Amino acid sequence: MPTILISTDFNCNSVNCIPSLCKQLPEQELNFIFIHMFKLSDRMGDLLMLSRRNKEYKYVSQQFYDQCELMKQTYPQIKAIKIEFFTEVQ
């Protein structure tokens, strides 16, 4: 089961690539992961709180979630759509 990583800023247009990918791989079950990279300062306080961070989800709009849900309903070959954040220490 292929997992496809899609770099995004969580604009609703980011989801528009899913239909063509599903058509290119019609017999495959697919997982999609939308990823976004944040830069993190090297301040000790920021680094200590890294494992507790969840404020990044405020950047994901309800419309983006709705578009993802619509894609899962439209294309039954999609098994999962996930959102991940990566942090880069400067």
Side-chain angles (χ1 to χ4, degrees):
M1 176 180 329
T3 297
I4 299 170
L5 301 176
I6 302 169
S7 179
T8 185
D9 62 355
F10 301 109
N11 180 313
C12 289
N13 292 330
S14 302
V15 179
N16 292 343
C17 64
I18 290 179
S20 64
L21 290 166
C22 288
K23 289 175 186 171
Q24 288 177 26
L25 303 165
E27 302 299 320
Q28 297 281 327
E29 292 182 341
L30 300 171
N31 291 316
F32 291 94
I33 301 177
F34 286 93
I35 59 171
H36 186 77
M37 175 80 69
F38 286 101
K39 288 192 177 188
L40 184 68
S41 74
D42 59 355
R43 289 185 23 220
M44 185 57 76
D46 288 341
L47 295 172
L48 290 172
M49 296 303 289
L50 184 60
S51 65
R52 296 183 183 163
R53 295 176 65 90
N54 63 3
K55 67 181 182 178
E56 290 87 0
Y57 287 95
K58 72 179 180 181
Y59 295 104
V60 185
S61 69
Q62 185 61 46
Q63 291 87 358
F64 186 84
Y65 285 117
D66 293 344
Q67 286 287 355
C68 290
E69 188 59 36
L70 178 64
M71 290 296 156
K72 286 187 345 187
Q73 292 172 3
T74 305
Y75 300 96
Q77 72 197 89
I78 299 173
K79 296 305 170 196
I81 297 178
K82 297 179 182 179
I83 294 171
E84 294 289 338
F85 299 97
F86 294 101
T87 52
E88 172 188 18
V89 179
Q90 298 175 339

